[in-house]
Amino acid sequence: MQPILEKLHKDHKNFFMLLEYLEQQAKFLKDCDRIDLELILDSLRYMREYPDFIHHPLEDVVYKYVLEHFDEVHNELVFLLHEHDELPELTNKLIEMIQAASASEPQDREKLYKYLTDYISTQKEHMNKEENPVYPVIDSTLSDRDWNNIIRKLEFAQDPMFGDRAKRCYQELLQKVIS
């Protein structure tokens, strides 16, 4: 697998771990157990900071290149690019809901649970579509020359939580997610 796809795949593994943590929090929410709103909020801020603003734009460059030069997985790529535009809105809406709950504003627990579980499901489904069939097709379709052309268009950024040095604001969350 090409290094860019390996990086994107590794990101997905990390996102899945974080989503599993959010699933655990959603279960606590449903069971009326105590949940850690601040860590949920940190999780969502991370999802906005890295996947929405770094990871997806990197994928967008790859997907647009494939769309311009090949016919493979055309419909899937168009759909995924559209989802990349919509996912930040879902993240922002959930952040607003969690912030309101953190501020002790009355929240419909069931509504919050539904939105959180829908968000998790949407994120997982999105990544699963990318992992199969899109990434394997891209990997087998693009040549080294294609990848070099793509690399020229990319800007790389460090993952603020799962990267070499986690930002201080994500260190507690990282410990919860990987434990």
Side-chain angles (χ1 to χ4, degrees):
M1 187 177 280
Q2 286 290 329
I4 293 170
L5 284 180
E6 285 178 11
K7 180 201 179 329
L8 294 171
H9 176 68
K10 182 181 177 197
D11 285 349
H12 283 177
K13 285 183 172 181
N14 293 335
F15 303 158
F16 271 110
M17 279 194 305
L18 182 60
L19 292 170
E20 286 173 10
Y21 169 75
L22 286 174
E23 278 182 329
Q24 178 187 50
Q25 293 300 306
K27 183 183 179 323
F28 294 158
L29 180 65
K30 181 180 182 186
D31 296 341
C32 295
D33 290 339
R34 183 168 161 74
I35 61 171
D36 193 331
L37 290 174
E38 283 305 311
L39 287 181
I40 292 173
L41 201 51
D42 286 345
S43 300
L44 296 170
R45 287 181 181 133
Y46 168 79
M47 292 298 286
R48 181 175 59 198
E49 182 178 345
Y50 189 70
D52 286 348
F53 293 135
I54 307 287
H55 175 90
H56 291 152
L58 192 146
E59 286 176 327
D60 289 352
V61 171
V62 174
Y63 295 173
K64 288 175 183 175
Y65 183 89
V66 173
L67 285 171
E68 289 172 12
H69 297 88
F70 302 96
D71 290 330
E72 283 77 358
V73 291
H74 176 86
N75 292 340
E76 292 90 341
L77 292 176
V78 169
F79 183 79
L80 291 168
L81 286 167
H82 177 71
E83 281 192 331
H84 285 176
D85 291 337
E86 292 180 341
L87 288 171
E89 294 172 31
L90 299 176
T91 304
N92 288 333
K93 173 68 174 160
L94 190 51
I95 286 172
E96 289 172 13
M97 293 174 78
I98 299 297
Q99 285 174 327
S102 293
S104 298
E105 293 177 21
Q107 293 292 308
D108 180 344
R109 202 173 180 97
E110 229 174 270
K111 181 179 177 183
L112 184 56
Y113 170 78
K114 175 147 179 36
Y115 201 90
L116 180 57
T117 55
D118 287 351
Y119 176 83
I120 294 165
S121 176
T122 299
Q123 290 285 355
K124 284 184 170 187
E125 287 172 19
H126 175 81
M127 288 187 289
N128 284 330
K129 289 175 206 162
E130 291 175 324
E131 289 290 332
N132 191 24
V134 173
Y135 283 10
V137 169
I138 288 174
D139 191 42
S140 66
T141 302
L142 297 181
S143 67
D144 288 341
R145 184 169 164 244
D146 293 318
W147 284 110
N148 288 332
N149 290 334
I150 290 169
I151 289 170
R152 285 190 214 118
K153 299 176 182 182
L154 295 177
E155 294 180 29
F156 292 96
Q158 183 70 256
D159 184 319
M161 185 165 70
F162 293 100
D164 293 333
R165 291 184 314 148
K167 280 186 176 180
R168 186 174 29 230
C169 64
Y170 294 126
Q171 289 176 351
E172 182 182 356
L173 174 61
L174 179 61
Q175 292 307 310
K176 294 275 187 187
V177 169
I178 63 174
S179 61

